[in-house]
Coordinates of all heavy atoms in Angstrom, one line a residue:
M92 N -47.1 152.1 50.0 CA -48.0 151.0 50.4 C -49.4 151.6 50.7 O -50.4 150.9 50.4 CB -47.5 150.3 51.6 CG -46.3 149.3 51.2 SD -46.7 148.2 49.9 CE -47.8 147.0 50.7
K93 N -49.4 152.7 51.3 CA -50.7 153.3 51.7 C -51.6 153.5 50.5 O -52.8 153.2 50.5 CB -50.5 154.6 52.4 CG -50.7 154.5 53.9 CD -50.7 155.8 54.6 CE -50.8 155.6 56.1 NZ -50.3 156.6 56.9
I94 N -51.0 153.9 49.4 CA -51.8 154.2 48.2 C -52.5 152.9 47.7 O -53.6 152.9 47.3 CB -50.9 154.7 47.1 CG1 -50.5 156.2 47.5 CG2 -51.6 154.8 45.7 CD1 -49.4 156.7 46.7
V95 N -51.7 151.8 47.8 CA -52.3 150.5 47.4 C -53.5 150.1 48.3 O -54.5 149.7 47.8 CB -51.2 149.4 47.5 CG1 -51.8 148.0 47.2 CG2 -50.1 149.6 46.5
V96 N -53.4 150.3 49.6 CA -54.4 150.0 50.5 C -55.7 150.8 50.2 O -56.8 150.3 50.1 CB -54.0 150.2 52.0 CG1 -55.2 150.1 52.9 CG2 -52.9 149.2 52.4
V97 N -55.5 152.1 50.0 CA -56.6 153.0 49.6 C -57.3 152.5 48.3 O -58.5 152.4 48.2 CB -56.2 154.4 49.5 CG1 -57.3 155.3 48.9 CG2 -55.8 155.0 50.9
G98 N -56.5 152.1 47.4 CA -57.0 151.7 46.1 C -57.8 150.4 46.3 O -58.9 150.3 45.7
L99 N -57.4 149.5 47.1 CA -58.1 148.3 47.4 C -59.4 148.6 48.0 O -60.5 148.0 47.7 CB -57.3 147.3 48.3 CG -56.2 146.6 47.6 CD1 -55.4 145.8 48.6 CD2 -56.7 145.6 46.5
L100 N -59.4 149.5 49.0 CA -60.7 149.9 49.6 C -61.7 150.5 48.6 O -62.8 150.1 48.7 CB -60.4 151.0 50.7 CG -59.8 150.4 52.0 CD1 -59.4 151.6 52.9 CD2 -60.8 149.5 52.7
L101 N -61.2 151.3 47.7 CA -62.1 151.9 46.8 C -62.6 150.8 45.8 O -63.8 150.9 45.5 CB -61.3 153.0 45.9 CG -61.0 154.3 46.7 CD1 -60.2 155.2 45.8 CD2 -62.3 155.0 47.1
T102 N -61.8 149.9 45.5 CA -62.2 148.8 44.6 C -63.3 148.0 45.3 O -64.4 147.7 44.7 CB -61.1 147.9 44.3 OG1 -60.0 148.6 43.7 CG2 -61.5 146.8 43.3
D103 N -63.1 147.7 46.6 CA -64.1 147.0 47.3 C -65.4 147.7 47.4 O -66.5 147.1 47.2 CB -63.5 146.8 48.7 CG -64.4 145.8 49.5 OD1 -64.8 144.8 49.0 OD2 -64.7 146.1 50.7
L104 N -65.3 149.0 47.6 CA -66.6 149.8 47.7 C -67.3 149.8 46.3 O -68.5 149.6 46.3 CB -66.2 151.3 47.9 CG -66.4 151.8 49.3 CD1 -66.0 153.3 49.4 CD2 -67.8 151.6 49.8
A105 N -66.6 149.9 45.3 CA -67.2 150.0 44.0 C -67.9 148.7 43.6 O -68.8 148.7 42.8 CB -66.2 150.4 42.9
T106 N -67.4 147.6 44.1 CA -68.0 146.3 43.7 C -69.0 145.8 44.7 O -69.6 144.8 44.5 CB -66.9 145.2 43.5 OG1 -66.1 145.2 44.7 CG2 -65.9 145.6 42.4
S107 N -69.2 146.5 45.8 CA -70.1 146.1 46.8 C -71.6 146.3 46.3 O -71.8 147.1 45.3 CB -69.9 146.8 48.1 OG -70.4 148.1 48.0
A108 N -72.5 145.7 47.0 CA -73.9 145.9 46.6 C -74.3 147.3 46.9 O -75.4 147.7 46.4 CB -74.8 144.9 47.5
F109 N -73.5 148.0 47.6 CA -73.9 149.4 48.0 C -73.5 150.4 46.9 O -73.7 151.6 47.0 CB -73.1 149.7 49.3 CG -73.8 150.8 50.1 CD1 -75.2 150.7 50.3 CD2 -73.1 151.8 50.7 CE1 -75.8 151.7 51.1 CE2 -73.7 152.8 51.4 CZ -75.0 152.7 51.7
A110 N -72.9 149.9 45.8 CA -72.3 150.7 44.8 C -73.4 151.7 44.2 O -73.1 152.8 43.8 CB -71.7 149.9 43.7
N111 N -74.6 151.2 44.1 CA -75.7 152.0 43.5 C -75.9 153.3 44.4 O -76.5 154.3 43.9 CB -77.0 151.3 43.4 CG -76.9 150.2 42.3 OD1 -76.1 150.3 41.4 ND2 -77.8 149.2 42.4
D112 N -75.5 153.2 45.6 CA -75.8 154.3 46.5 C -74.5 155.1 46.8 O -74.5 155.9 47.7 CB -76.4 153.8 47.9 CG -77.7 153.2 47.7 OD1 -78.5 153.8 47.0 OD2 -78.0 152.1 48.3
L113 N -73.5 155.0 46.0 CA -72.3 155.7 46.2 C -72.5 157.2 46.1 O -71.8 158.0 46.8 CB -71.2 155.3 45.2 CG -70.4 154.1 45.5 CD1 -69.3 153.9 44.5 CD2 -69.7 154.3 46.9
A114 N -73.6 157.6 45.4 CA -73.9 159.1 45.4 C -74.3 159.6 46.7 O -74.2 160.8 47.0 CB -74.9 159.3 44.3
L115 N -74.8 158.7 47.5 CA -75.3 159.1 48.9 C -74.1 159.0 49.9 O -74.0 158.0 50.6 CB -76.4 158.2 49.3 CG -77.7 158.3 48.5 CD1 -78.7 157.3 49.0 CD2 -78.3 159.7 48.6
K116 N -73.4 160.0 49.9 CA -72.2 160.1 50.8 C -72.8 160.6 52.2 O -73.7 161.3 52.2 CB -71.2 161.0 50.3 CG -70.5 160.5 49.0 CD -69.1 160.9 49.0 CE -68.4 160.4 47.8 NZ -68.9 161.0 46.5
P117 N -72.1 160.2 53.3 CA -72.5 160.8 54.6 C -72.5 162.3 54.5 O -71.5 162.9 54.1 CB -71.4 160.2 55.5 CG -70.8 159.1 54.8 CD -71.0 159.3 53.4
P118 N -73.5 162.9 55.0 CA -73.5 164.4 55.0 C -72.5 164.9 56.0 O -72.0 164.1 56.9 CB -74.9 164.7 55.5 CG -75.6 163.5 55.8 CD -74.7 162.3 55.5
A119 N -72.1 166.1 55.8 CA -71.0 166.7 56.7 C -71.4 166.7 58.1 O -70.5 166.5 59.0 CB -70.7 168.1 56.2
D120 N -72.7 166.8 58.5 CA -73.0 166.8 59.9 C -73.5 165.5 60.4 O -74.2 165.4 61.4 CB -74.1 167.9 60.1 CG -75.3 167.7 59.2 OD1 -75.3 166.9 58.3 OD2 -76.3 168.4 59.5
F121 N -73.2 164.4 59.6 CA -73.6 163.1 60.1 C -72.7 162.7 61.3 O -71.5 162.7 61.2 CB -73.4 162.1 58.9 CG -73.7 160.6 59.4 CD1 -75.0 160.3 59.8 CD2 -72.7 159.7 59.3 CE1 -75.3 159.0 60.2 CE2 -73.0 158.4 59.7 CZ -74.3 158.0 60.1
D122 N -73.3 162.2 62.3 CA -72.6 161.8 63.5 C -72.6 160.3 63.6 O -73.6 159.7 64.1 CB -73.3 162.5 64.8 CG -72.5 162.2 66.0 OD1 -71.7 161.3 66.1 OD2 -72.7 163.0 67.0
E123 N -71.5 159.7 63.2 CA -71.5 158.3 63.1 C -71.7 157.6 64.5 O -72.4 156.6 64.7 CB -70.1 157.8 62.6 CG -69.8 156.3 62.6 CD -70.4 155.6 61.4 OE1 -70.4 156.2 60.3 OE2 -70.8 154.4 61.5
A124 N -71.0 158.2 65.5 CA -71.1 157.7 66.9 C -72.6 157.7 67.4 O -73.0 156.8 68.0 CB -70.2 158.4 67.8
A125 N -73.3 158.8 67.1 CA -74.6 159.0 67.6 C -75.5 157.9 66.8 O -76.4 157.3 67.4 CB -75.1 160.4 67.3
W126 N -75.2 157.8 65.5 CA -76.0 156.8 64.7 C -75.8 155.4 65.3 O -76.7 154.6 65.5 CB -75.6 156.9 63.3 CG -76.2 155.8 62.5 CD1 -77.5 155.9 61.9 CD2 -75.8 154.5 62.2 NE1 -77.8 154.7 61.3 CE2 -76.8 153.8 61.5 CE3 -74.6 153.8 62.6 CZ2 -76.6 152.4 61.1 CZ3 -74.5 152.5 62.2 CH2 -75.4 151.8 61.5
Q127 N -74.5 155.1 65.6 CA -74.2 153.8 66.1 C -74.9 153.5 67.4 O -75.4 152.4 67.7 CB -72.7 153.7 66.3 CG -72.1 152.3 66.7 CD -72.1 151.3 65.6 OE1 -71.9 151.7 64.4 NE2 -72.4 150.1 65.8
A128 N -74.9 154.5 68.3 CA -75.6 154.4 69.6 C -77.1 154.1 69.4 O -77.7 153.3 70.1 CB -75.3 155.6 70.5
E129 N -77.7 154.9 68.5 CA -79.1 154.7 68.2 C -79.4 153.3 67.6 O -80.4 152.7 68.0 CB -79.6 155.8 67.2 CG -80.7 156.7 67.8 CD -81.0 157.8 66.8 OE1 -81.7 157.5 65.8 OE2 -80.5 158.9 67.1
W130 N -78.5 152.9 66.7 CA -78.7 151.6 66.1 C -78.7 150.5 67.1 O -79.5 149.6 67.1 CB -77.6 151.4 65.0 CG -77.6 150.1 64.4 CD1 -76.9 149.0 64.8 CD2 -78.5 149.7 63.3 NE1 -77.3 147.9 64.0 CE2 -78.2 148.3 63.1 CE3 -79.4 150.3 62.5 CZ2 -78.9 147.6 62.1 CZ3 -80.1 149.6 61.5 CH2 -79.8 148.2 61.3
E131 N -77.6 150.6 68.0 CA -77.5 149.5 69.0 C -78.7 149.5 70.0 O -79.1 148.5 70.4 CB -76.2 149.7 69.7 CG -75.0 149.2 68.8 CD -73.6 149.5 69.4 OE1 -73.6 150.0 70.5 OE2 -72.6 149.3 68.7
A132 N -79.2 150.7 70.2 CA -80.3 150.8 71.1 C -81.6 150.2 70.5 O -82.4 149.5 71.1 CB -80.6 152.2 71.5
G133 N -81.7 150.4 69.1 CA -82.8 149.9 68.4 C -82.8 148.4 68.2 O -83.8 147.7 68.2
D134 N -81.5 147.9 67.9 CA -81.3 146.4 67.6 C -81.3 145.7 69.0 O -80.2 145.2 69.4 CB -80.0 146.3 66.8 CG -79.8 144.8 66.5 OD1 -80.7 144.0 66.5 OD2 -78.6 144.5 66.2
T135 N -82.5 145.5 69.6 CA -82.5 145.0 70.9 C -82.0 143.5 71.0 O -81.5 143.1 72.1 CB -83.9 145.1 71.5 OG1 -84.9 144.6 70.6 CG2 -84.2 146.5 71.8
D136 N -82.2 142.7 70.0 CA -81.7 141.3 70.1 C -80.3 141.2 69.6 O -79.7 140.1 69.6 CB -82.6 140.3 69.4 CG -82.7 140.5 67.9 OD1 -81.9 141.4 67.4 OD2 -83.4 139.8 67.2
G137 N -79.7 142.3 69.1 CA -78.3 142.3 68.8 C -77.9 141.5 67.6 O -76.7 141.0 67.5
D138 N -78.8 141.2 66.7 CA -78.4 140.4 65.5 C -77.9 141.2 64.3 O -77.7 140.6 63.3 CB -79.6 139.5 65.1 CG -80.8 140.2 64.5 OD1 -80.8 141.5 64.6 OD2 -81.7 139.6 63.9
G139 N -77.7 142.5 64.5 CA -77.1 143.3 63.5 C -78.1 143.8 62.5 O -77.7 144.3 61.4
R140 N -79.4 143.6 62.7 CA -80.4 144.1 61.7 C -81.6 144.5 62.5 O -81.9 144.0 63.6 CB -80.7 143.1 60.7 CG -81.1 141.8 61.3 CD -81.1 140.6 60.3 NE -81.8 139.5 60.9 CZ -82.2 138.4 60.3 NH1 -82.0 138.3 59.0 NH2 -82.8 137.4 60.9
L141 N -82.4 145.4 61.9 CA -83.7 145.8 62.6 C -84.9 145.1 62.1 O -85.1 145.1 60.9 CB -83.9 147.3 62.4 CG -83.1 148.3 63.3 CD1 -83.7 149.7 63.0 CD2 -83.2 148.0 64.7
S142 N -85.6 144.4 62.9 CA -86.8 143.8 62.5 C -87.9 144.8 62.6 O -87.8 145.9 63.2 CB -87.1 142.6 63.4 OG -87.4 143.0 64.7
R143 N -89.1 144.5 62.0 CA -90.2 145.3 62.1 C -90.6 145.6 63.5 O -91.0 146.7 63.9 CB -91.4 144.7 61.3 CG -92.3 145.6 60.6 CD -93.3 144.7 59.8 NE -92.9 144.4 58.5 CZ -93.1 145.2 57.4 NH1 -93.8 146.3 57.5 NH2 -92.6 144.9 56.2
E144 N -90.5 144.6 64.4 CA -90.9 144.7 65.8 C -90.0 145.6 66.5 O -90.4 146.5 67.3 CB -90.9 143.3 66.4 CG -92.1 142.4 66.0 CD -92.0 142.0 64.6 OE1 -90.9 141.8 64.0 OE2 -93.0 141.9 63.9
E145 N -88.7 145.5 66.2 CA -87.7 146.4 66.8 C -87.9 147.8 66.4 O -87.8 148.7 67.2 CB -86.3 145.9 66.5 CG -85.8 144.7 67.2 CD -84.6 144.1 66.7 OE1 -84.2 144.4 65.5 OE2 -83.9 143.3 67.4
L146 N -88.2 148.0 65.2 CA -88.4 149.4 64.7 C -89.7 150.0 65.3 O -89.7 151.1 65.7 CB -88.5 149.5 63.2 CG -88.7 150.9 62.6 CD1 -87.4 151.7 62.9 CD2 -88.9 150.8 61.1
R147 N -90.7 149.1 65.5 CA -92.0 149.6 66.1 C -91.7 150.0 67.5 O -92.2 151.1 68.0 CB -93.0 148.5 66.0 CG -94.4 149.0 66.6 CD -95.4 147.8 66.7 NE -95.8 147.3 65.4 CZ -95.7 146.1 65.0 NH1 -95.3 145.2 65.8 NH2 -96.1 145.7 63.8
A148 N -90.9 149.3 68.2 CA -90.6 149.6 69.6 C -89.8 150.9 69.7 O -89.9 151.7 70.6 CB -89.8 148.4 70.3
A149 N -88.8 151.1 68.7 CA -87.9 152.2 68.8 C -88.6 153.5 68.3 O -88.4 154.6 68.9 CB -86.7 151.9 68.0
N150 N -89.4 153.3 67.2 CA -90.0 154.5 66.6 C -91.2 154.1 65.8 O -91.0 153.9 64.6 CB -88.9 155.2 65.7 CG -89.4 156.5 65.2 OD1 -90.6 156.9 65.4 ND2 -88.6 157.2 64.4
P151 N -92.3 154.1 66.4 CA -93.5 153.6 65.6 C -93.8 154.4 64.3 O -94.3 153.8 63.4 CB -94.7 153.9 66.6 CG -94.0 153.9 68.0 CD -92.6 154.4 67.8
R152 N -93.4 155.6 64.3 CA -93.7 156.5 63.1 C -92.8 156.0 62.0 O -93.2 156.2 60.8 CB -93.5 157.9 63.4 CG -94.7 158.5 64.2 CD -94.4 159.9 64.8 NE -93.9 160.8 63.8 CZ -93.3 161.9 64.1 NH1 -93.1 162.2 65.3 NH2 -92.9 162.7 63.1
A153 N -91.6 155.5 62.3 CA -90.7 155.1 61.2 C -91.2 153.8 60.5 O -90.7 153.5 59.4 CB -89.3 154.8 61.8
L154 N -92.2 153.1 61.1 CA -92.8 151.9 60.4 C -93.3 152.2 59.0 O -93.3 151.4 58.2 CB -93.9 151.3 61.3 CG -93.5 150.2 62.3 CD1 -94.8 149.7 62.9 CD2 -92.7 149.1 61.6
E155 N -93.8 153.4 58.9 CA -94.4 153.8 57.6 C -93.3 153.7 56.5 O -93.7 153.4 55.3 CB -94.8 155.3 57.6 CG -96.0 155.6 58.5 CD -96.3 157.1 58.6 OE1 -95.9 157.8 57.8 OE2 -96.8 157.4 59.7
I156 N -92.1 153.9 56.8 CA -91.0 153.8 55.8 C -90.2 152.6 55.8 O -89.2 152.4 55.2 CB -90.1 155.1 55.8 CG1 -89.4 155.2 57.2 CG2 -90.9 156.3 55.5 CD1 -88.2 156.1 57.2
F157 N -90.7 151.6 56.6 CA -89.9 150.3 56.7 C -89.7 149.7 55.4 O -88.6 149.3 55.0 CB -90.7 149.4 57.7 CG -89.9 148.1 58.0 CD1 -89.1 148.0 59.1 CD2 -89.9 147.0 57.1 CE1 -88.4 146.9 59.4 CE2 -89.2 145.9 57.4 CZ -88.4 145.8 58.6
D158 N -90.8 149.5 54.6 CA -90.7 148.8 53.4 C -89.8 149.5 52.4 O -89.1 148.9 51.6 CB -92.1 148.5 52.8 CG -92.8 147.5 53.6 OD1 -92.2 146.6 54.2 OD2 -94.1 147.6 53.7
K159 N -89.9 150.9 52.4 CA -89.1 151.7 51.5 C -87.6 151.6 51.9 O -86.7 151.6 51.0 CB -89.6 153.2 51.7 CG -89.4 154.0 50.4 CD -90.0 155.4 50.6 CE -89.1 156.4 49.9 NZ -89.2 157.7 50.4
T160 N -87.4 151.5 53.2 CA -86.0 151.5 53.7 C -85.4 150.1 53.4 O -84.2 150.0 53.1 CB -85.9 151.8 55.2 OG1 -86.6 153.1 55.4 CG2 -84.5 151.9 55.7
D161 N -86.2 149.1 53.5 CA -85.7 147.7 53.3 C -85.6 147.4 51.8 O -86.4 146.8 51.2 CB -86.7 146.7 54.0 CG -86.3 145.3 53.7 OD1 -85.2 145.0 53.5 OD2 -87.2 144.4 53.8
T162 N -84.6 148.0 51.2 CA -84.5 148.0 49.8 C -84.3 146.6 49.2 O -84.6 146.3 48.0 CB -83.3 148.9 49.3 OG1 -82.2 148.7 50.1 CG2 -83.8 150.4 49.4
D163 N -83.7 145.6 49.9 CA -83.5 144.3 49.3 C -84.7 143.4 49.7 O -84.7 142.2 49.3 CB -82.2 143.7 49.7 CG -82.1 143.4 51.2 OD1 -83.0 143.6 52.0 OD2 -81.0 142.8 51.7
G164 N -85.6 143.9 50.5 CA -86.9 143.2 50.7 C -86.8 142.0 51.5 O -87.6 141.1 51.4
D165 N -85.7 141.9 52.4 CA -85.6 140.6 53.2 C -86.3 140.7 54.5 O -86.3 139.8 55.3 CB -84.1 140.3 53.4 CG -83.4 141.3 54.4 OD1 -84.0 142.4 54.7 OD2 -82.3 141.0 54.8
G166 N -87.1 141.8 54.7 CA -87.9 142.0 55.9 C -87.1 142.5 57.1 O -87.7 142.6 58.2
Y167 N -85.9 142.9 56.9 CA -85.1 143.5 57.9 C -84.3 144.7 57.4 O -84.0 144.7 56.2 CB -84.0 142.5 58.5 CG -84.6 141.3 59.2 CD1 -84.9 140.1 58.5 CD2 -84.9 141.3 60.5 CE1 -85.5 139.0 59.1 CE2 -85.5 140.2 61.2 CZ -85.8 139.1 60.4 OH -86.3 138.0 61.1
I168 N -84.0 145.6 58.3 CA -83.3 146.8 57.8 C -81.8 146.6 58.3 O -81.5 146.4 59.5 CB -83.8 148.1 58.4 CG1 -85.2 148.3 57.8 CG2 -82.9 149.3 58.2 CD1 -85.9 149.5 58.3
S169 N -80.9 146.6 57.3 CA -79.5 146.4 57.6 C -78.9 147.8 57.9 O -79.5 148.8 57.6 CB -78.8 145.8 56.4 OG -78.8 146.7 55.3
P170 N -77.7 147.8 58.6 CA -77.1 149.1 58.8 C -77.0 149.9 57.5 O -77.2 151.2 57.5 CB -75.8 148.8 59.4 CG -75.9 147.4 60.0 CD -77.0 146.7 59.1
E171 N -76.6 149.3 56.4 CA -76.4 149.9 55.2 C -77.7 150.5 54.7 O -77.7 151.7 54.2 CB -75.8 149.0 54.1 CG -74.4 148.5 54.4 CD -74.3 147.5 55.5 OE1 -75.3 146.9 55.8 OE2 -73.2 147.5 56.1
E172 N -78.8 149.8 54.8 CA -80.1 150.3 54.4 C -80.5 151.5 55.2 O -81.1 152.4 54.7 CB -81.1 149.2 54.4 CG -81.0 148.1 53.3 CD -81.8 146.9 53.5 OE1 -82.3 146.6 54.6 OE2 -82.0 146.1 52.6
D173 N -80.3 151.4 56.5 CA -80.6 152.4 57.4 C -79.9 153.7 57.0 O -80.5 154.8 57.0 CB -80.3 152.0 58.8 CG -80.9 153.0 59.8 OD1 -82.1 153.1 60.0 OD2 -80.0 153.7 60.5
K174 N -78.6 153.6 56.8 CA -77.8 154.7 56.5 C -78.2 155.3 55.1 O -78.2 156.5 55.0 CB -76.3 154.4 56.4 CG -75.7 154.3 57.8 CD -74.2 154.0 57.7 CE -73.6 154.0 59.1 NZ -72.2 153.5 59.0
A175 N -78.4 154.5 54.2 CA -78.8 154.9 52.8 C -80.1 155.8 52.9 O -80.2 156.9 52.4 CB -79.1 153.8 51.9
A176 N -81.1 155.3 53.8 CA -82.3 156.1 54.0 C -82.0 157.4 54.7 O -82.6 158.4 54.3 CB -83.3 155.2 54.7
L177 N -81.1 157.3 55.7 CA -80.8 158.5 56.5 C -80.1 159.5 55.6 O -80.5 160.7 55.6 CB -79.9 158.1 57.6 CG -79.6 159.1 58.7 CD1 -80.9 159.6 59.4 CD2 -78.6 158.6 59.7
F178 N -79.2 159.1 54.8 CA -78.4 160.0 54.0 C -79.4 160.6 52.9 O -79.2 161.8 52.6 CB -77.2 159.3 53.3 CG -76.2 158.8 54.2 CD1 -75.3 157.9 53.8 CD2 -76.2 159.2 55.6 CE1 -74.3 157.4 54.7 CE2 -75.3 158.7 56.5 CZ -74.3 157.8 56.0
Q179 N -80.3 159.8 52.4 CA -81.3 160.3 51.5 C -82.1 161.4 52.1 O -82.4 162.4 51.5 CB -82.1 159.2 50.9 CG -83.2 159.6 49.9 CD -82.5 160.1 48.6 OE1 -81.7 159.4 48.0 NE2 -82.8 161.3 48.2
W180 N -82.5 161.2 53.4 CA -83.3 162.1 54.1 C -82.5 163.4 54.3 O -83.1 164.5 54.1 CB -83.7 161.5 55.5 CG -84.5 162.4 56.3 CD1 -85.8 162.6 56.2 CD2 -84.0 163.3 57.4 NE1 -86.2 163.6 57.2 CE2 -85.1 164.0 57.9 CE3 -82.8 163.5 57.9 CZ2 -85.0 164.9 58.9 CZ3 -82.7 164.5 59.0 CH2 -83.8 165.2 59.4
Y181 N -81.2 163.3 54.7 CA -80.4 164.5 54.8 C -80.4 165.3 53.5 O -80.5 166.5 53.4 CB -78.9 164.1 55.1 CG -78.6 164.0 56.6 CD1 -78.6 162.8 57.2 CD2 -78.3 165.2 57.3 CE1 -78.2 162.7 58.6 CE2 -77.9 165.1 58.7 CZ -77.9 163.8 59.3 OH -77.6 163.8 60.6
K182 N -80.2 164.5 52.4 CA -80.1 165.1 51.0 C -81.4 165.8 50.7 O -81.4 167.0 50.2 CB -79.8 164.0 50.0 CG -78.8 164.4 48.9 CD -78.6 163.2 48.0 CE -78.7 163.6 46.6 NZ -79.1 162.5 45.7
D183 N -82.5 165.2 50.9 CA -83.8 165.8 50.6 C -84.0 167.0 51.4 O -84.5 168.0 51.0 CB -85.0 164.8 51.0 CG -85.0 163.6 50.0 OD1 -84.3 163.7 48.9 OD2 -85.7 162.6 50.3
R184 N -83.6 166.9 52.7 CA -83.8 168.1 53.6 C -82.9 169.2 53.1 O -83.4 170.4 53.1 CB -83.4 167.7 55.0 CG -83.8 168.7 56.1 CD -83.2 168.4 57.4 NE -81.7 168.3 57.3 CZ -80.9 168.2 58.4 NH1 -81.5 168.2 59.6 NH2 -79.6 168.1 58.3
Q185 N -81.7 168.9 52.6 CA -80.8 170.0 52.1 C -81.4 170.6 50.9 O -81.4 171.9 50.8 CB -79.5 169.4 51.8 CG -78.5 169.5 52.9 CD -77.2 168.8 52.6 OE1 -77.0 168.2 51.5 NE2 -76.2 168.8 53.5
S186 N -81.9 169.8 49.9 CA -82.4 170.4 48.7 C -83.7 171.2 49.0 O -84.1 172.1 48.4 CB -82.6 169.4 47.6 OG -83.2 168.2 48.1
A187 N -84.5 170.7 50.0 CA -85.7 171.4 50.4 C -85.4 172.8 51.0 O -86.0 173.8 50.6 CB -86.5 170.6 51.4
S188 N -84.3 172.8 51.8 CA -84.0 174.1 52.4 C -83.3 175.0 51.4 O -83.4 176.2 51.5 CB -83.1 173.9 53.7 OG -81.9 173.3 53.3
A189 N -82.7 174.4 50.4 CA -82.1 175.2 49.3 C -83.1 176.0 48.5 O -82.8 177.0 47.9 CB -81.2 174.4 48.4
E190 N -84.3 175.4 48.5 CA -85.4 176.0 47.6 C -86.1 177.1 48.3 O -86.8 177.9 47.7 CB -86.4 174.9 47.3 CG -85.9 174.0 46.1 CD -86.8 172.7 46.0 OE1 -87.8 172.7 46.6 OE2 -86.3 171.8 45.4
D191 N -85.8 177.3 49.6 CA -86.5 178.3 50.4 C -86.0 179.7 49.9 O -84.8 179.9 49.7 CB -86.2 178.2 51.9 CG -87.0 177.0 52.5 OD1 -88.0 176.6 51.8 OD2 -86.7 176.6 53.6
Ligands
LIG173 CA1 -82.4 142.9 65.6
LIG174 CA1 -83.1 144.5 54.1

C-alpha cells in the first residue's frame, strides 16, 4: 500500500503548478523549521502569503527581488514562490562557490 501512496504523491507533484521547478529541490542544508518560523514571522496578517508591505517590514532589501520572486505576478509571494527563490539562491551560491 505504501508504494501506491508514494506513487500518488509523485503524480500530484508532477501535475502541480510547481512542476516547472522540480529541478529546484531543497538543498541538503535547508532548514524547513527555520524557514517556517521566518515565514510566519513575516506573514504578519497570517493570510498565508507575503504582501509587498509585509516583505518591506521584514526585509527592505528583499523588496528588490519581490517582482522576480512573485513568478505568477499576483502581487503576493506564496510559500512555494518563496521556496523556489530560496532554493535558486542556494543553487546559485553553490555553483558560485564551485567556481572558486
Ligand atoms: Ca500576509
Ligand atoms: Ca505570487
